[in-house]
Amino acid sequence: MTDYITADVLVVGTGIAGCAAALAAAREGSDVLVATKAERPEDASTDWAQGGIAVSRDDPEGFKRDILAASSNTADPGAVDVLVENANDAVEDVLLETLGIEFDTAGGEFDSPGWDYGREAAHSENRILHVNAETGSHILRPLLSYLDDHDRVQILEDTAALDLITHEGRVHGVQLDRTPDGERSRTGYPVFAGSTVLATGGIGSLYPRSTNPTGSTGDGIGMAALAGAEIADMEYVQFHPTALDETSADVAEAADSDAMETVLISEAVRGEGAHLLNGNGERFMPAIHEDAELAPRDVVARAVARGRDETGEVRLDVSTFDFAAQFPDLAERCERRGVDPADGIPVAPCEHFLCGGIAVDDRGRASLDRLFAVGECARTGVHGANRLASTSLLEGLVWGLRAGETAVGNEPEPIEAADLLDSDPDLPPRFAAEKFTRLHRVMGEHVGLRRDSDGLARAAAVLRRLKGEVDAYVRTRTARDLYELRHASVTALLIARAAAENERSVGCHYLVDEPTESTATPADD
């Protein structure tokens, strides 16, 4: 075995969930090592979160009802209780008292009328704390800075986890692609930990277009599944209804790398009163759901897709309020892409969030001993078949803290970890990218917003072959992009299989050849 290092707690990922877990473990006196592929905050999905973070205020029961209703009553009530009962305390402790986040407010203390609480789709009241429409970056960057200065936390950036190190049902750590000095390891670099917390984020890079940052390849889910961990609810992939429609004639080609990122038009814009209009200039959501534009995401996303199919386009009319004043950053991003919001913003659904993942309990414990998972790679049960807006940051914070507290107390146990093999010549530079193109095509065509049983069967067959090909290459090569492709192909196959096995349309799993059981009215069927 090569050289190795140890840590009391190892966290993989630096979004809000991973950072919260690291913070909680360090508070308990543990030495924490954080490994992340990210080289800058923008590489984490948290930094891209716009709308805000929901809190219970003085009505946890009302919050719980909204979460359950948005999920078509498929969310786990016990998990929802954990979320809503811990929401206020977690936000006050970490975001307000520890970090001093300055949420938008007219003055006042936490949970007072002074806070500018927002409202988004499927919320029955205003309960969302926010900073303009870029809440995630205002949370993550101070949190990372705080951890950088913590004497019990070490962060390894630009460092990918390739494989879990396991023995007889226990996770002992991970194989990294770099040494602690930043040198590439061609045989994997082992880190042994008392507990391992996966916080690797989402799956956006499995789809042609996503609101996730590049590199959201399902790494944690892929590694955990290959190690034998229980995975659940993978068919529930949420599509956001209002991403900027890149196919619109109004949208200019990106002039720089930042502009190339998918422009998400925050749900908070509809919360302020924006209306969706089809290509005929007609508002269509009131005929589909009693909450109109503030219906659950699955309902609005399908309605937008159908409106584009039938009339050529859908636009978000923001003329009902001062869009530039309320959302200056969004207005600037639209203008950089050649869109004048005064003419309406062309929108289309886009992959956004995975509601399933590594199955965990109310402390983030997975089915393998000493393995935890938090954030988007985890299936806590809170979201069920469809996530309520602005609950992802909250879930990451609450479960991250609980997992970090629970993960302490185990001693690292170094074992004989086999070196990863890198004996064959490097593959062509575009090899992994070309395979990803194939994966994108099958996921976009057959495992997207609207599915049918034949397409899912074809997708599963293609993805099985792709996984087999990638497995063969991984056996004798150690490269980050190749392992990302492996994790992505495993995760994509899990999604396709789960979708094919679930013959009931519910939430964001919608089968065009089956009746729906979402929160939509019959007009949405």
Side-chain angles (χ1 to χ4, degrees):
M1 184 172 62
T2 61
D3 293 337
Y4 62 85
I5 57 174
T6 63
D8 296 333
V9 176
L10 169 65
V11 178
V12 183
T14 48
I16 190 172
C19 288
L23 173 63
R27 283 175 168 178
E28 296 294 321
S30 290
D31 290 324
V32 182
L33 178 67
V34 181
T36 176
K37 292 196 300 187
E39 298 181 70
R40 53 182 186 162
E42 298 97 307
D43 293 336
S45 291
T46 295
D47 199 73
W48 292 36
Q50 292 184 358
I53 184 166
V55 291
S56 296
R57 300 188 68 178
D58 58 356
D59 185 19
E61 285 302 313
F63 192 11
K64 179 178 180 178
R65 285 194 299 271
D66 288 349
I67 294 171
L68 291 171
S71 77
S72 299
N73 293 310
T74 59
D76 178 351
V80 179
D81 283 337
V82 169
L83 187 76
V84 302
E85 290 169 6
N86 288 277
N88 291 351
D89 289 344
V91 169
E92 186 164 15
D93 169 22
V94 177
L95 304 188
L96 298 179
E97 294 182 357
T98 302
L99 302 179
I101 305 300
E102 296 182 356
F103 291 107
D104 290 346
T105 178
E109 300 299 323
F110 179 70
D111 209 22
S112 81
W115 292 102
D116 181 26
Y117 292 105
R119 183 182 175 192
E120 296 184 12
H123 285 270
S124 61
E125 66 169 291
N126 293 32
R127 60 165 69 91
I128 299 166
L129 292 168
H130 57 92
V131 184
N132 193 357
E134 51 181 16
T135 306
S137 63
H138 283 272
I139 289 174
L140 183 61
R141 296 174 189 217
L143 184 50
L144 282 169
S145 295
Y146 186 88
L147 292 178
D148 277 335
D149 295 335
H150 203 294
D151 58 5
R152 287 196 172 275
V153 179
Q154 179 185 3
I155 300 177
L156 302 179
E157 295 183 341
D158 190 20
T159 302
L162 304 177
D163 228 343
L164 292 178
I165 301 171
T166 63
H167 181 66
E168 295 183 348
R170 172 174 291 178
V171 174
H172 291 266
V174 301
Q175 293 271 18
L176 301 179
D177 75 334
R178 293 185 184 274
T179 71
D181 296 328
E183 297 296 322
R184 181 193 170 194
S185 173
R186 300 187 68 90
T187 56
Y189 191 90
V191 176
F192 295 102
S195 296
T196 300
V197 183
L198 297 177
T200 55
I203 61 160
S205 293
L206 277 59
Y207 284 85
R209 292 185 66 240
S210 169
T211 64
N212 296 178
T214 302
S216 300
T217 47
D219 298 337
I221 296 169
M223 288 188 292
L226 290 170
E230 181 183 346
I231 311 294
D233 288 354
M234 291 296 287
E235 65 267 44
Y236 300 130
V237 180
Q238 187 178 77
F239 286 73
H240 199 286
T242 55
L244 185 66
D245 183 1
E246 301 283 347
T247 68
S248 172
D250 291 357
V251 179
E253 291 186 10
D256 55 58
S257 59
D258 289 337
M260 287 175 65
E261 298 168 351
T262 298
V263 179
L264 175 66
I265 310 302
S266 171
E267 213 152 68
V269 176
R270 281 177 281 134
E272 287 294 324
H275 296 154
L276 289 163
L277 307 179
N278 63 23
N280 299 324
E282 301 163 338
R283 187 181 176 198
F284 54 88
M285 282 307 303
I288 291 174
H289 193 281
E290 61 183 1
D291 291 331
E293 280 80 5
L294 295 183
R297 280 181 177 167
D298 64 314
V299 177
V300 182
R302 290 196 298 274
V304 169
R306 186 166 56 250
R308 294 178 72 247
D309 289 344
E310 294 175 351
T311 68
E313 69 170 4
V314 168
R315 289 180 179 261
L316 192 63
D317 176 13
V318 296
S319 65
T320 55
F321 62 98
D322 191 339
F323 177 70
Q326 289 284 92
F327 302 98
D329 297 295
L330 278 179
E332 180 183 355
R333 293 187 73 188
C334 287
E335 290 165 3
R336 287 172 60 195
R337 296 303 303 274
V339 174
D340 183 354
D343 297 331
I345 303 170
V347 294
C350 186
E351 192 283 330
H352 185 58
F353 189 88
L354 176 65
C355 298
I358 304 164
V360 299
D361 66 7
D362 64 354
R363 308 296 302 194
R365 288 175 289 229
S367 59
L368 298 178
D369 187 28
R370 300 192 182 183
L371 179 66
F372 296 75
V374 293
E376 191 172 350
C377 73
R379 184 272 187 192
T380 64
V382 162
H383 307 305
N386 186 54
R387 178 171 70 83
L388 179 66
S390 284
T391 55
S392 59
L393 294 180
L394 180 63
E395 180 198 33
L397 178 62
V398 169
W399 256 264
L401 292 173
R402 292 168 71 84
E405 293 169 356
T406 309
V408 303
N410 297 320
E411 292 292 327
E413 298 177 357
I415 63 173
E416 190 65 31
D419 289 342
L420 304 179
L421 296 180
D422 196 38
S423 55
D424 284 353
D426 290 343
L427 294 166
R430 291 285 303 167
F431 176 84
E434 289 171 359
K435 297 293 184 183
F436 263 111
T437 298
R438 181 174 160 196
L439 188 149
H440 291 160
R441 184 168 60 249
V442 70
M443 293 296 286
E445 290 178 0
H446 301 304
V447 200
L449 176 63
R450 296 174 292 191
R451 307 162 176 176
D452 64 70
S453 52
D454 288 343
L456 291 171
R458 288 196 296 273
V462 171
L463 293 167
R464 278 195 302 271
R465 290 194 296 272
L466 176 61
K467 178 184 176 297
E469 293 173 22
V470 176
D471 285 345
Y473 291 113
V474 167
R475 291 190 189 101
T476 56
R477 294 174 177 85
T478 301
R480 182 184 300 189
D481 61 353
L482 193 55
Y483 271 81
E484 287 180 325
L485 180 60
R486 182 188 73 156
H487 302 149
S489 62
V490 169
T491 303
L493 183 55
L494 288 169
I495 294 169
R497 283 177 172 170
E501 291 169 1
N502 186 351
E503 298 178 353
R504 184 171 69 110
S505 284
V506 60
C508 52
H509 172 57
Y510 183 75
L511 295 164
V512 297
D513 49 356
E514 291 291 334
T516 184
E517 292 185 19
S518 78
T519 49
T521 62
D524 187 60
D525 292 349

